[in-house]
């Protein structure tokens, strides 16, 4: 059931596999098994789900099923194909035994304990060993090719928001605005949303995790949108707050504090700085203004094939930033019963500091509809 | 940090917790930890994410963070609340130690190996033991309350399709039709989609996993939609094929075969029958017609808080059907380069046999736009 032709992966994929192999070599892994969908896509460009990639020093095996037969031939003709009839773990076992593997590295992050138990049993006498987070670490640094797709994903989200804002008026429901925004993203080529769109007014915006509901926009109200597109598998992630009618006085002040904190944090970003230090820059601005307790989450997170990926831009992480990382910067202040303000951009770490890839306006006067 | 008031959960939740406790007792588990989001929601009605529920014989603990403080007070005031400052596993450890637990049951299905490793370390000297799939088994049987929500989720998906069909014309792109359909579901109250909407024409429909792309509807073409809403967390899942202009002759025959297979399988459903037997009923019809090799997937799957859940209605499962199970029935035939037909309904297992909850037309003459 194994076939192989057209021998060479495209350059970007070749480079990724080389890096995976160098990491394998450092971790003394003779083989490396990848099972989570975004990781198998990242490593090979193969779009199929429910599949596994086995990387060896001189070969790459794709273990999948009949649904993806044609996709494998089109997307990874340079890999060795195995189509399972039974369950995936059994076919992984067959391949490991056929190759005479003694140990195979597995990343504990992307696999359920149940799957791990099944694979452990199925690959005998081969043994699973915990691998370091090889793919998560590689995925932290975005290539030019990835950034091109990410920029497009951001552009789709922003253009969709501009089209949505033109339709907003008192009486419209949160859920209607969210539906419109998602439609406009899809219409511009998004394959879907990066996550469930948040559209929250007034008191509902005081919950950082608020979902869109049946509340109607009032003649005077604040609206928080947290939204993103998925395009070519890559996620964008933005937050903006808009106002209809009058800005509630306390919310206006809070808006300026959050924006100041966000700009200060962006300004502090450069390679070598630790994630916790950038978080602290924003947190200090907010704490000095008296709202430290109301900034209830970390400053941001890595963004790419997953909407939340490494690094975590939080007080909990002392990881240094590196050139090519893409992170969200999204401080927020939440006033229970009143409202909440969060401002979020997608920011690339470059050798000269931060480059903000999002461009939709965020000054207070641009927030008034 | 622990608080507790209003002592009694609503009847539906009380019943679920009782059932969980009976399963714990059978498995000799003094404590049971639930971490996957849909399971924590199912067990308690608490909507927060990134949280854990610890069920004991006489108490239920919610371990969460500040973002969900208010939600816990509103949704599970009868549970004991723990808000973490650090990572979730550390707080789970604190609670286990405070309670003096020696063993805690964990379901291997819903937890990554990395999380399991972190929890194992954090709860010392308490030990994690593998629990049977308690929540997955309970979730197989839908209550009247769940069915009310599921019917609404189905209704939203169907009404949205009717509205979308009215807009379809040659020249429209797959992705535009998918966007419209998702918008119409959102507009009718869906919190999102149950999964990325499939809209695939002609040759693209020959891939069971096709996504919507930039292909335009032609004057004469077939369009396959596989779509579902998420409403109140519950998923619907339907597939229909529609035709603009002439039906390609072979596809017309295939349509009738798939429909015959689907109706025969639905007719065979009753409590006590094994999943593999129902799969065989559909597969036999398709195999006798000469398309056995082109029916490349299982017949269906359970449907509820997850779009794919137990039971698996496949040749691989000898599990017997039970009253109250909700399954999709979705045979398909795929002709590479030509097109594919899949017809999918959501079907409840009742004491008297199958009750089809979906109602949007599926006769060939209803498929012509």
């Amino acid at each position: 059931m194994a076939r192989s032709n057209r021998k060479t992966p495209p350059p970007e994929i070749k480079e990724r596999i080389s890096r995976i192999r160098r990491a394998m070599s450092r971790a003394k892994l003779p083989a490396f098994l990848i099972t989570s969908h975004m990781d198998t896509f990242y490593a090979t460009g193969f779009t199929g789900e429910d599949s596994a990639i086995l990387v060896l020093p001189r070969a790459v095996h794709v273990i999948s099923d009949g649904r993806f037969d044609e996709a494998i031939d089109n997307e990874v003709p340079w890999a060795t194909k195995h189509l399972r009839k039974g369950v995936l773990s059994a076919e992984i076992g067959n391949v490991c035994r056929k190759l005479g593997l003694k140990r195979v590295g597995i990343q504990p992050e992307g696999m359920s304990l149940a799957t791990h138990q099944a694979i452990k049993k199925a690959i005998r006498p081969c043994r699973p060993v915990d691998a370091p987070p090889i793919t998560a670490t590689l995925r932290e640094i975005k290539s030019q090719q990835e950034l091109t797709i990410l920029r497009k994903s951001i552009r789709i989200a922003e253009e969709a928001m501009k089209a949505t804002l033109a339709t907003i008026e008192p009486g419209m429901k949160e859920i209607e605005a969210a539906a419109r925004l998602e439609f406009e993203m899809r219409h511009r080529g998004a394959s879907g949303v990066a996550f469930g769109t948040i559209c929250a007014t007034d008191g509902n915006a005081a919950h950082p995790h608020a979902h869109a509901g049946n509340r109607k926009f009032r003649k005077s109200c604040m609206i928080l949108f947290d939204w993103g597109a998925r395009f070519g598998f890559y996620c964008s992630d933005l937050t903006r707050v808009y106002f209809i009618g009058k800005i509630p006085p306390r919310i206006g002040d809070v808006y300026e504090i959050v924006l100041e904190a966000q700009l200060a944090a962006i300004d502090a970003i450069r390679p070598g700085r630790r994630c916790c230090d950038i978080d602290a820059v924003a947190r200090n601005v907010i704490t000095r203004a008296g709202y430290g307790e109301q900034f209830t989450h970390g400053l941001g997170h890595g963004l790419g094939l997953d909407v939340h990926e490494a690094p975590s831009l939080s007080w909990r992480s002392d990881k240094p930033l590196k050139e090519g990382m893409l992170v969200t910067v999204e401080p927020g202040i939440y006033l229970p019963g009143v409202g909440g303000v969060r401002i979020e951009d997608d920011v690339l770490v470059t050798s000269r500091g931060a480059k903000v890839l999002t461009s939709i306006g965020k000054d207070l006067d641009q927030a008034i509809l």
Side-chain angles (χ1 to χ4, degrees), chain A:
Chain A
M1 213 19 153
R3 248 194 303 168
S4 182
N5 50 11
R6 280 172 287 154
K7 292 290 181 194
T8 321
E12 172 100 0
I13 297 298
K14 206 170 170 175
E15 179 60 31
R16 290 181 196 171
I17 292 172
S18 294
R19 286 169 196 242
I20 289 171
R21 284 182 175 139
R22 287 202 287 277
M24 286 165 59
S25 169
R26 278 193 298 275
K28 304 205 190 325
L29 294 172
F32 179 53
L33 184 71
I34 310 174
T35 55
S36 90
H37 184 214
M38 285 301 101
D39 279 348
T40 56
F41 172 70
Y42 178 80
T44 64
F46 170 51
T47 57
E49 293 157 358
D50 306 323
S51 302
I53 302 289
L54 184 68
V55 183
L56 301 175
R58 298 185 171 274
V60 174
H61 295 260
V62 178
I63 305 163
S64 186
D65 63 70
R67 291 174 299 165
F68 301 111
D69 192 4
E70 209 182 319
I72 295 172
D73 292 345
N74 291 333
E75 295 168 353
V76 286
W78 45 269
T80 307
K81 176 168 76 176
H82 305 269
L83 299 183
R84 66 186 169 94
K85 287 285 182 187
V87 297
L88 183 60
S89 56
E91 187 63 20
I92 292 171
N94 292 340
V95 174
C96 288
R97 271 189 300 276
K98 217 179 296 179
L99 295 169
L101 294 177
K102 294 204 172 63
R103 292 184 310 131
V104 58
I106 292 179
Q107 298 180 129
E109 290 77 15
M111 182 179 287
S112 79
L113 177 60
T115 304
H116 189 265
Q117 289 170 343
I119 289 177
K120 189 174 177 177
K121 206 168 152 181
I123 65 176
R124 282 177 193 160
C126 177
R127 270 189 319 116
V129 293
D130 282 5
I134 293 176
T135 48
T137 305
L138 290 178
R139 281 171 51 185
E140 285 182 347
I141 311 297
K142 270 66 184 178
S143 70
Q144 285 309 317
Q145 185 176 311
E146 289 182 289
L147 286 170
T148 302
I149 305 171
L150 280 157
R151 280 174 203 271
K152 176 85 199 235
S153 181
I154 290 168
R155 201 63 59 240
I156 287 170
E158 294 190 324
E159 292 303 317
M161 178 54 83
K162 287 174 194 167
T164 302
L165 289 179
T167 71
I168 284 181
E169 53 185 19
M172 193 177 191
K173 288 179 187 172
E174 291 172 354
I175 201 166
E176 288 169 344
R180 165 62 62 180
L181 180 52
E182 294 181 0
F183 175 75
E184 297 290 352
M185 290 196 284
R186 281 293 239 151
H187 202 67
R188 285 165 176 76
S191 65
V193 292
F195 53 91
T197 302
I198 294 174
C199 172
T201 56
D202 300 328
N204 193 27
H207 306 287
H209 61 288
H211 294 284
N214 279 315
R215 284 164 219 80
K216 286 182 179 168
F217 301 153
R218 293 176 303 112
K219 274 183 190 165
S220 227
C221 75
M222 59 152 295
I223 311 169
L224 182 150
F225 285 100
D226 188 347
W227 81 105
R230 192 176 273 274
F231 172 77
F233 289 108
Y234 283 83
C235 301
S236 47
D237 186 3
L238 294 93
T239 305
R240 289 290 184 270
V241 169
Y242 295 101
F243 300 94
I244 306 181
K246 278 186 197 155
I247 303 174
R250 207 164 155 214
I251 292 293
D253 294 346
V254 159
Y255 192 100
E256 297 288 13
I257 296 161
V258 170
L259 183 56
E260 187 194 335
Q262 203 232 15
L263 293 171
I266 291 171
D267 202 47
I269 284 177
R270 57 184 51 92
R273 286 264 175 95
R274 298 179 307 170
C275 288
C276 54
D277 296 334
I278 309 300
D279 179 282
V281 169
R283 205 164 296 278
N284 286 343
V285 172
I286 290 174
T287 303
R288 272 201 310 270
Y291 290 103
E293 289 286 305
Q294 282 75 46
F295 176 18
T296 50
H297 53 74
L299 180 63
H301 53 80
L303 185 69
L305 289 169
D306 284 308
V307 70
H308 293 120
E309 55 181 50
S312 168
L313 198 63
S314 131
W315 71 86
R316 294 190 194 96
S317 169
D318 60 2
K319 190 179 265 202
L321 291 174
K322 289 182 189 163
E323 195 179 337
M325 283 179 170
L326 181 69
V327 293
T328 69
V329 180
E330 48 175 314
I333 295 177
Y334 308 94
L335 307 178
V338 179
V341 173
R342 182 169 64 253
I343 301 172
E344 176 181 26
D345 285 304
D346 302 338
V347 177
L348 179 67
V349 182
T350 79
S351 60
R352 290 174 314 235
K355 182 166 177 60
V356 182
L357 301 190
T358 30
S359 63
I360 192 166
K362 60 183 171 181
D363 289 337
L364 185 51
D365 60 357
Q366 294 171 298
I368 300 165
L369 299 182

